[in-house]
Amino acid sequence: MDELKVRNMNPLSLAYMGDAVYESFVRERLMHGSEARIGKADLLHKAGVRYVNAGAQAAALAEIRPGLSEAEEALVKRARNHRTATKAKNADIITYKWATAFEALIGYLYLSEQKERLAQIMEQAALCIEHPTRSEAEKE
């Protein structure tokens, strides 16, 4: 898809796509990790929740934001500020909006076929979640 067309899409549509793409990335990551040797889907699911919850996504985005391009940062801000009719089940509204912005970024990169950048961002996010900064680790 044309990058400009994707950039102008509804941020919630991008987040919808980004949620699926990131979930797939996490599942594949877990299948290659030690969790897959356990062989129980419920344990894989529980391991995956660590990556796909709103708090983790918002924290990961906070860490990777300094490395975003101007276009990526503009999209993140637009997605964060977009009005939503849905409410977060397990997060406050601010965290939920940042998580939605993260998912919108993933959707944008996926739909605009920026495969290398998408892989880079998702890997950075996963590493941020696996190895939180000292300040983030102290909050938990």
Side-chain angles (χ1 to χ4, degrees):
M1 235 185 246
D2 176 67
E3 191 269 336
L4 184 60
K5 182 179 179 181
V6 174
R7 192 182 323 159
N8 290 321
M9 287 179 135
N10 181 311
L12 298 181
S13 296
L14 293 173
Y16 173 77
M17 187 77 237
D19 177 59
V21 171
Y22 187 64
E23 174 84 23
S24 180
F25 166 80
V26 167
R27 288 179 181 212
E28 187 172 335
R29 185 179 190 85
L30 293 173
M31 293 303 296
H32 290 292
S34 60
E35 293 86 353
R37 287 186 222 115
I38 298 167
K40 293 187 178 181
D42 62 324
L43 294 177
L44 286 166
H45 172 74
K46 287 177 184 173
V49 169
R50 174 182 181 197
Y51 297 87
V52 298
N53 71 73
Q57 291 177 344
L61 180 59
E63 290 219 21
I64 63 176
R65 271 184 75 198
L68 296 181
S69 70
E70 283 184 36
E72 292 166 346
E73 178 66 16
L75 177 88
V76 162
K77 287 180 179 178
R78 189 166 65 91
R80 178 201 61 199
N81 294 332
H82 194 79
R83 289 185 182 231
T84 178
T86 59
K87 288 180 109 177
K89 290 185 271 182
N90 299 310
D92 62 84
I93 191 68
I94 302 298
T95 302
Y96 181 72
K97 285 182 165 277
W98 282 112
T100 300
F102 171 78
E103 291 174 343
L105 175 62
I106 299 300
Y108 158 72
L109 293 170
Y110 178 80
L111 290 172
S112 61
E113 300 176 4
Q114 298 181 52
K115 294 176 183 179
E116 286 182 31
R117 183 64 172 152
L118 173 64
Q120 180 185 36
I121 293 289
M122 290 192 302
E123 183 64 25
Q124 285 179 325
L127 290 173
C128 289
I129 293 164
E130 293 166 0
H131 309 287
T133 62
R134 193 177 209 354
S135 60
E136 286 299 316
E138 290 169 357
K139 290 178 187 176
E140 294 177 352

